[in-house]
Amino acid sequence: MKTQWDRVGYRFGDKCVVLRGYIVGSARDAVYWKKTLFGRWLLMSSHHMTEETLPAYISEIRRFKPRFIQSYPSTAALLARYMTEHGIDPFPTVRAVLCGSENLYPWQRSLLEEAFGCRVFSWYGNSEQTVLAGECEESTHYHIFPEYGIVELIGRDGRPVANPGELGEVVATNLTNYVCPLIRYRTMDLATAAQGPCTCGRHYPLLERVEGRIQDFIVTGKGELLSGITMNIDTDAFDNVKQFQFYQEKVGEVVLNVVRKPAFGDSDAEYLYREVSRSCGDDVTVTIRYVDNIPLTTRGKYRYFVQNLPVHFGEREMAKIEHGSSDIPA
Ligand SMILES: [Zn+2]
């Protein structure tokens, strides 16, 4: 992580705002943040960020003068959306936003870059510590650290992915764990290979995109997997939407739960339905449901998609889902 952050100019001791699912103090006492690391890091609770509390968060960040913001993409997006909607200027001291632990969707990247007026750097890793990869100064491809773990991309047919742009499951062997090594561990994350080397001159193997957990894919009526990250919904369709969450429990059908803003009207409903149906394609039926709120996960993350089907990437395993059997070996 230090090597990764060195690339964006982070030096040990730089002031950072951290928005990564911490619960700090209690909402009743209106304590939403605390300092740590001798006052260099400001940990802010992502559980308590609401329309009412966000102005206080924003003035505290401005007072703290951080050089970096480390964040879950969804948490940073919440803050960024509030700032752009209310015409709030970016924090002048922030040099970059460092995002990890969740998919970074293209619309989130542009929102964050607009609101914070700086580059967003994303990294990809897992808690089993078999893979670590991150963007560099010159591209948004993920550079895989081979000194940390050996990464293979395995296609649906069970063979290594041969061509750039092709989708595969990340299968990784860690090189740092001498107590319980994981060898060719199936991460259940899908990524696409990229053509190297990068123009930055580092000869790391590259991933073009990390599409996220297999469990974050929509299963179409034909049994194909549709990635949320490549879904190309016009974000204007969500202008009068306060929160949203897709979920799926039947093959070829997806439900979009929506928390409406007061201004949400019939034309918004129509536009939203049209846009979502278009980007889901012909093999997915979309239903929109209106709800009062969408809770965060226990880890303080905001999930845009909840998949209740057991999704697998291999052809043999997928065939079982299409035939209605849930008896699938892990
Ligand atoms: Zn590079």
Side-chain angles (χ1 to χ4, degrees):
M1 285 309 296
K2 186 184 176 304
T3 308
Q4 168 63 25
W5 288 10
D6 281 351
R7 284 181 194 161
V8 301
Y10 176 85
R11 298 292 171 260
F12 186 73
D14 277 348
K15 285 166 100 178
C16 266
V17 162
V18 186
L19 305 166
R20 287 179 51 87
Y22 297 96
I23 299 178
V24 180
S26 87
R28 210 179 25 224
D29 306 330
V31 178
Y32 306 124
W33 50 75
K34 71 171 182 194
K35 287 183 185 161
T36 177
L37 220 75
F38 310 105
R40 311 306 287 178
W41 281 17
L42 178 65
L43 302 188
M44 303 189 101
S45 170
S46 57
H47 294 258
H48 303 132
M49 290 167 81
T50 62
E51 294 271 316
E52 292 71 42
T53 61
L54 276 167
Y57 276 78
I58 291 165
S59 33
E60 184 62 20
I61 296 174
R62 219 174 275 287
R63 207 163 29 237
F64 184 66
K65 299 191 173 69
R67 286 188 81 212
F68 296 94
I69 296 176
Q70 300 175 45
S71 185
Y72 291 153
S74 63
T75 312
L78 201 69
L79 178 64
R81 199 165 180 216
Y82 185 89
M83 288 170 67
T84 50
E85 279 178 1
H86 292 81
I88 296 169
D89 289 337
F91 307 108
T93 53
V94 172
R95 288 185 45 174
V97 181
L98 311 166
C99 281
S101 311
E102 285 176 357
N103 277 356
L104 176 67
Y105 297 103
W107 64 266
Q108 288 176 321
R109 188 190 292 276
S110 23
L111 173 67
L112 299 185
E113 293 189 339
E114 187 197 334
F116 298 120
C118 63
R119 168 85 198 262
V120 173
F121 287 90
S122 175
W123 56 272
Y124 161 62
N126 57 2
S127 22
E128 298 88 338
Q129 303 194 340
T130 57
V131 49
L132 186 65
E135 294 177 14
C136 73
E137 314 85 326
E138 299 204 3
S139 91
T140 55
H141 289 350
Y142 292 88
H143 300 45
I144 299 167
F145 290 102
E147 59 272 52
Y148 184 93
I150 298 165
V151 174
E152 301 167 76
L153 270 191
I154 305 295
R156 285 188 97 165
D157 58 359
R159 295 173 200 283
V161 161
N163 303 311
E166 223 175 289
L167 189 68
E169 179 176 354
V170 175
V171 174
T173 300
N174 68 17
L175 298 175
T176 58
N177 187 342
Y178 298 102
V179 178
C180 181
L182 294 168
I183 296 166
R184 303 200 73 219
Y185 173 74
R186 290 182 65 172
T187 61
M188 309 275 282
D189 287 334
L190 299 184
T192 47
Q195 181 105 49
C198 179
T199 50
C200 69
R202 298 182 185 94
H203 286 257
Y204 288 119
L206 301 174
L207 298 173
E208 188 182 322
R209 284 194 305 275
V210 177
E211 309 270 4
R213 305 286 296 168
I214 292 176
Q215 214 52 38
D216 291 336
F217 280 71
I218 293 171
V219 183
T220 71
K222 287 186 181 151
E224 278 158 4
L225 299 181
L226 191 67
S227 157
I229 208 160
T230 52
M231 266 173 52
N232 179 25
I233 302 177
D234 184 351
T235 47
D236 290 351
F238 289 89
D239 274 355
N240 285 324
V241 170
K242 195 169 163 200
Q243 287 181 308
F244 68 92
Q245 186 176 62
F246 289 92
Y247 81 88
Q248 182 169 33
E249 48 195 17
K250 285 188 188 148
V251 170
E253 291 179 32
V254 74
V255 175
L256 174 60
N257 281 333
V258 168
V259 181
R260 289 168 287 186
K261 286 186 185 172
F264 191 95
D266 288 348
S267 59
D268 293 292
E270 233 166 76
Y271 185 19
L272 186 62
Y273 177 78
R274 207 172 50 236
E275 265 303 302
V276 175
S277 301
R278 184 190 56 76
S279 57
C280 286
D282 296 336
D283 297 318
V284 178
T285 328
V286 176
T287 310
I288 293 181
R289 278 191 201 143
Y290 300 116
V291 295
D292 292 334
N293 80 92
I294 293 169
L296 295 177
T297 66
T298 48
R299 301 187 71 177
K301 291 187 185 181
Y302 180 75
R303 292 179 69 192
Y304 295 103
F305 183 57
V306 175
Q307 177 55 275
N308 291 326
L309 291 172
V311 185
H312 286 262
F313 183 59
E315 277 167 355
R316 190 181 58 83
E317 296 151 334
M318 277 310 292
K320 287 198 176 185
I321 296 173
E322 282 150 37
H323 292 109
S325 161
S326 59
D327 169 32
I328 292 158

